[in-house]
């Protein structure tokens, strides 16, 4: 379903993704496990038509995202790592807009919106503007929205970042369910070992833009001669702490707030 | 089709909900109208050009249409910074539909803004020579709004930060405004200035409004329609192109 060969992306001198190859079979749950700045988001952006690779090839359901972007977009759904909501619309309006963009028929749209907003405990706040929501609520809305339509492939970029345990649970239950009943292929990224182990059929450990190990959780443990995935992960990536440099987008958001007053 | 509609509706909702912004954006034209209208009026009259309020009202309407439509396109910068742009860029609809929805929305909002400013001008004492021509004035506002909504999207697709936005404001939007003859008559200008005013699409939008509302104009109205139509096609085309090339 996803086939990636020798994929690289350079931002100037920085190799964000460096000669990465992997395959994800239809119906599989595949996890990209790696520390901050490893290149997970950049890979997802290239898979989802948002960014053009520097070199290498990608096939999504047999199609190249760079040349058949619109066909490719019809095949996947995605939950982004950072916000992609319209803060000046209400929760319900965000859901509705998404449903229209993804061609979900009106009736189904309304039913599923209610079901999902209830599931993620946002139904009572559906008429409120997203800008009045807490970080956790926004995250929940983002995820609820991602489940509004059922794609062939679901991309989840660090979906549990900032989620409370209950919502995490809802999320993974839902993902597993979709995977089982509808055969949705799932590509997720995370830096939590336990999550990867819990949901993924196969895991690729990525660091500094390169895949350093690939296999089922058990294979990874065997390979590193460790008894937990956490130990395996540390054995593979070392224990130095990675910092995501505070990016300019954050500063912009601050400024934008001032401007809008 | 539904995608275009929902994105158009989004622009409209964002506009009507920002009451404070609407008031603020009406304050500026009002200030121009009052300060320039009453301040420069006597000088203008002495120079034998007639009533200045009558003269600048179409210019101020044009200004509002320009600012509102360009800024709706530049709003892509906010969509980019707040992340919403990603949502539309991965959606299974042609990017051109997304762009058209945005442009239609921007043009609609700019036209509404133009009508509001027209109302303000009427309150301030502006009188069109022929009230029956108001629908034609509306037509020219819409055409002008499309030109600059397209330009706004073309620019907004490229913008990465606020500094860029300030550059655009100072080196694109304000020159378009000041060179358009919004504030002064286009005849008898030094030749360099005269050429610049003639390549500024807004000149034709405002001149056409003067034709419709005052019965006097620099260019033939057919010429204005043609220039505005072509400019709209070019800028909306340019906007679609640069929008389709966005990478995040
Ligand atoms: N637009 C960009 N311009 C320059 N560098 C970038 C850009 N996006 C990501 N990077 C860099 O690429 C590397 C990988 O980032 P990313 O894919 O976001 O990592 P992850 O999602 O695994 O945390 C980081 O070093 C990051 O700073
Ligand atoms: Mg990331």
């Amino acid at each position: 379903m996803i086939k990636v060969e020798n994929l690289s992306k350079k931002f100037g001198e920085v190799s964000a993704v460096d000669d990465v190859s992997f395959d994800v079979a239809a119906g599989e749950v595949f996890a990209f496990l790696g520390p901050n700045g490893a290149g997970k988001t950049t890979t997802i952006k290239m898979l989802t038509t948002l960014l053009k690779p520097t070199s290498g090839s990608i096939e999504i359901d047999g199609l190249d995202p760079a040349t058949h972007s619109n066909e490719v977009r019809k095949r996947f759904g995605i939950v982004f790592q950072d916000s992609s909501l319209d803060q000046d619309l209400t929760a319900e309006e965000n859901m509705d807009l998404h449903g229209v963009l993804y061609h979900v028929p009106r009736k189904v749209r309304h039913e599923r919106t209610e079901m999902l907003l209830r599931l993620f405990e946002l139904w009572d706040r559906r008429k409120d503007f997203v800008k009045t929501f807490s970080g956790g609520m926004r995250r929940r809305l983002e995820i609820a929205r991602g489940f509004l339509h059922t794609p062939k492939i679901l991309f989840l970029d660090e979906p549990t970042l900032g989620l409370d345990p209950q919502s995490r649970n809802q999320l993974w239950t839902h993902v597993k369910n979709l995977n089982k009943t509808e055969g949705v292929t799932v590509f997720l990224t995370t830096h939590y070992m336990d999550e990867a182990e819990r949901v993924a059929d196969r895991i690729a450990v990525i660091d500094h833009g390169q895949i350093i190990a690939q296999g089922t959780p058990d294979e990874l443990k065997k390979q590193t001669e460790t008894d937990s995935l956490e130990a395996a992960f540390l054995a593979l990536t070392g224990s130095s702490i990675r910092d995501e440099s505070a990016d300019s987008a954050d500063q912009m958001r601050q400024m934008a707030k001032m401007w809008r007053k | 089709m539904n995608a275009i509609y929902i994105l158009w509706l989004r622009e409209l909702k964002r506009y009507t909900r920002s009451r404070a912004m609407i008031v603020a954006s009406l304050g500026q034209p009002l200030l121009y109208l009052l300060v320039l209208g009453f301040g420069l009026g006597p000088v203008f009259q002495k120079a034998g050009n007639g009533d200045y309020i009558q003269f600048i009202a179409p210019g101020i309407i044009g200004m509002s249409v320009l600012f509102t439509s360009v800024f709706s396109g530049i709003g892509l910068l906010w969509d980019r910074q707040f992340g919403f742009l990603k949502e539309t860029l991965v959606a299974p609809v042609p990017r051109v539909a997304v762009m058209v929805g945005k442009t239609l929305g921007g043009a609609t909002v700019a036209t509404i803004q133009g009508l509001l400013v027209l109302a303000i001008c009427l309150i301030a004492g502006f009188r069109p020579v022929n009230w029956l021509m108001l629908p034609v004035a509306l037509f020219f506002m819409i055409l002008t709004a499309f030109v600059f909504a397209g330009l706004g999207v073309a620019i907004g697709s490229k913008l990465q930060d606020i500094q860029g936005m300030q550059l655009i404001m100072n080196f694109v939007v304000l020159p378009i405004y000041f060179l358009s003859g919004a504030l002064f008559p286009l005849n008898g200008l030094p030749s360099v200035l005269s050429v610049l005013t003639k390549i500024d699409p807004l000149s034709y939008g405002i001149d056409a409004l003067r034709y419709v509302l005052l019965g006097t104009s620099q260019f033939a109205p057919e010429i204005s329609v043609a220039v505005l139509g072509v400019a709209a096609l070019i800028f909306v085309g340019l906007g679609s192109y640069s929008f389709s090339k966005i990478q995040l």
Side-chain angles (χ1 to χ4, degrees), chain B residues 83-152:
Chain B
F84 179 75
L85 187 58
K86 296 195 288 276
E87 159 81 352
T88 54
L89 292 185
V90 295
V93 290
R95 285 221 179 153
V96 107
V98 178
M99 187 273 175
V100 168
K102 176 116 199 137
T103 310
L104 276 174
T108 307
V109 165
T111 306
I112 296 175
Q113 187 79 9
L115 288 173
L116 288 178
V117 172
L118 172 62
I120 289 183
C121 290
L122 292 174
I123 296 169
F126 172 70
R127 289 293 168 264
V129 287
N130 185 351
W131 291 88
L132 294 178
M133 292 292 268
L134 284 184
V136 188
L138 178 62
F139 166 77
F140 279 110
M141 283 184 224
I142 294 174
L143 206 51
T144 310
F146 268 102
V147 173
F148 293 108
L151 179 66

Side-chain angles (χ1 to χ4, degrees), chain B residues 162 176 209 245:
Chain B
I162 288 201
I176 288 178
L209 282 179
K245 293 283 170 227

Side-chain angles (χ1 to χ4, degrees), chain A residues 11 14 16 35-43 81 157-158 244-245:
Chain A
F11 295 108
V14 185
N36 283 336
K40 304 181 296 291
T41 300
T42 307
T43 306
Q81 178 182 343
D157 194 0
E158 309 216 17
E244 211 159 15
S245 57

